[in-house]
Amino acid sequence: MNVMDRPRIIGIRTGAPEPKSILIAVEDSGVGLGPEKESRLFDAFYTRPKPDGLGMGLSISRSIVEEHGGRLWGGAE
């Protein structure tokens, strides 16, 4: 589903909530996530149809972050 009723915006915030840690928050003005999508957000090959891509980006990103001792999560607000 494309955003047509408002500007497409991506916001990025950073912080250091604890020593030796960083927090990077990314928000967008998209259509949002329902509970069914939120629970599968990081599943490989779970994506909306696109002409390019495999649906593995968030799954791979989470693996890389966790391999370095971090945590990657997502959700709707």
Side-chain angles (χ1 to χ4, degrees), residues 21-64:
S21 71
I22 61 169
L23 174 67
I24 302 169
V26 179
E27 300 174 75
D28 66 38
S29 63
V31 297
L33 298 171
E36 71 288 344
K37 289 183 181 176
E38 191 172 340
S39 67
R40 298 194 62 200
L41 189 60
F42 294 96
D43 291 356
F45 307 113
Y46 182 75
T47 184
R48 66 177 177 85
K50 295 184 243 153
D52 298 324
L54 299 173
M56 294 182 59
L58 288 176
S59 177
I60 290 171
S61 296
R62 179 179 255 182
S63 296
I64 292 168

